[in-house]
Amino acid sequence: MIPQVKCLITGAAGFIGSHLVDALLARGATIVGIDPLKLGTRRNLELALQNSRFRFHEADINDLARCGQIIAAETEANPFDMVWHMAANSDIRAGVADPEIDFRYTFLTTHSVLKLMREHKISNLAFASSSAIYGVHAGLLHEDLGPLFPISNYGAMKLASEAAISAAVEAFLGRAWIFRFPNVVGGRATHGAIYDFVRKLKNNPSELEVLGDGFQEKPYLHVSELVDAMLFIVDRARDRLNYFNIGTAGSATTVRYLAEAVVKRMSPRARIRFTGGHKGWVGDVPKFNYSIEKLKKLGWEPRLTSNVAVDRAAEEIVREAH
Ligand SMILES: NC(=O)c1ccc[n+]([C@@H]2O[C@H](COP(=O)([O-])OP(=O)(O)OC[C@H]3O[C@@H](n4cnc5c(N)ncnc54)[C@H](O)[C@@H]3O)[C@@H](O)[C@H]2O)c1
């Protein structure tokens, strides 16, 4: 079990980061959150900011001087047990258009985190990686698959981050946990298909344009289950370098289902117009099939199917948009 730890969380104001903050606070942890509020928001931290065990800094983790000062001041009072590195550019499409974005926010943030951890002697790291590292594969995606050829800069920079973490484990880290997330959905979303559909319908309640033919199919995991799985893994996986796919109960959801789930709740008369074609956008992996056998062996199983996770998330995101 994670003891009553002191944690640093990068990307703390983001979608997943803010849910993780809430879950760790509920377990009694003390948390220092860092986020420049590029994609995340203070609103996501509304609950946490009322807790005296949470301290938030609007800062970029690549600003080593500033973050070094924050960590040094905190360490003087009480050292950190662990870093949860959730910061990245989560806008994959923006990264396809400009590779610099993923270099700075998806890879360099990892390099900066490792540098700060080495300097301030923090030895445990949990890292948000992604199914995007796998690229396009016909078969089941399991953790020991290779060689890996991602098809987006985002996936490439996540894979490079995993490699840097592996080298850091050899050099100075005590332990690392790498989580390969599928598509994660839920309230406080800052991006993603459901979020985009809600925004589009707000602008035009009579029609929803959907990229592709609607048959792209992916597993979606609700954020509550994702956070539960991460905590479970950190509590129990004891290798020095631990790496796990986190996914849903053997199911996937089509983009068509996603669009209908939003339309139904937000604007039931809207027409859904598919632009056609087999991919949504360059860098998008149209279908994938995730193995979570390794995680099941450790003892964690998802409770929600992908469709149920999508329905729950659509409900939450539509409610927040009103
Ligand atoms: N949501 C998903 O479906 C999904 C899937 C796979 C992996 N991930 C990964 O999970 C993590 C969290 O993603 P999310 O969906 O919550 O996205 P998000 O954009 O809501 O959260 C990321 C946060 O990181 C912050 N950030 C960006 N650059 C930073 C920097 N230089 N220093 C500090 N903070 C910085 C952003 O402001 C944002 O608040 C990311 O690493 C993402 O790549 C997410």
Side-chain angles (χ1 to χ4, degrees), residues 114 118 125 162-174 176 240:
L114 291 172
R118 181 172 210 159
L125 173 64
E162 288 197 7
I165 291 169
S166 157
V169 166
E170 185 64 25
F172 66 92
L173 279 183
R240 285 199 61 210

Side-chain angles (χ1 to χ4, degrees), residues 31-85:
I31 295 167
V32 175
I34 293 193
D35 197 308
L37 303 181
K38 259 173 55 69
L39 297 161
T41 60
R42 246 175 227 281
R43 186 179 166 203
N44 284 347
L45 294 171
E46 236 166 17
L47 250 175
L49 287 166
Q50 295 167 29
N51 192 316
S52 59
R53 283 184 281 108
F54 181 63
R55 293 182 278 285
F56 179 67
H57 299 270
E58 188 176 334
D60 184 326
I61 197 70
N62 290 330
D63 182 346
L64 293 173
R66 166 120 193 263
C67 293
Q69 275 170 7
I70 294 168
I71 295 172
E74 282 285 350
T75 303
E76 233 178 75
N78 203 357
F80 285 99
D81 299 290
M82 154 158 209
V83 174
W84 295 78
H85 177 34

Side-chain angles (χ1 to χ4, degrees), residues 10-18 34-41 44 59-63 85-91 104-106 109 127-132 154 158 179-185 188-191 226:
T10 69
F15 163 47
I16 295 168
S18 65
I34 293 193
D35 197 308
L37 303 181
K38 259 173 55 69
L39 297 161
T41 60
N44 284 347
D60 184 326
I61 197 70
N62 290 330
D63 182 346
H85 177 34
M86 299 289 125
N89 161 53
S90 57
D91 185 350
R104 282 197 65 74
Y105 299 109
T106 306
T109 51
F127 173 62
S129 189
S130 163
S131 58
Y154 169 79
K158 284 289 188 194
F179 313 114
R180 294 173 179 165
F181 300 168
N183 291 277
V184 186
V185 290
R188 301 184 187 163
T190 58
H191 59 96
L226 176 86

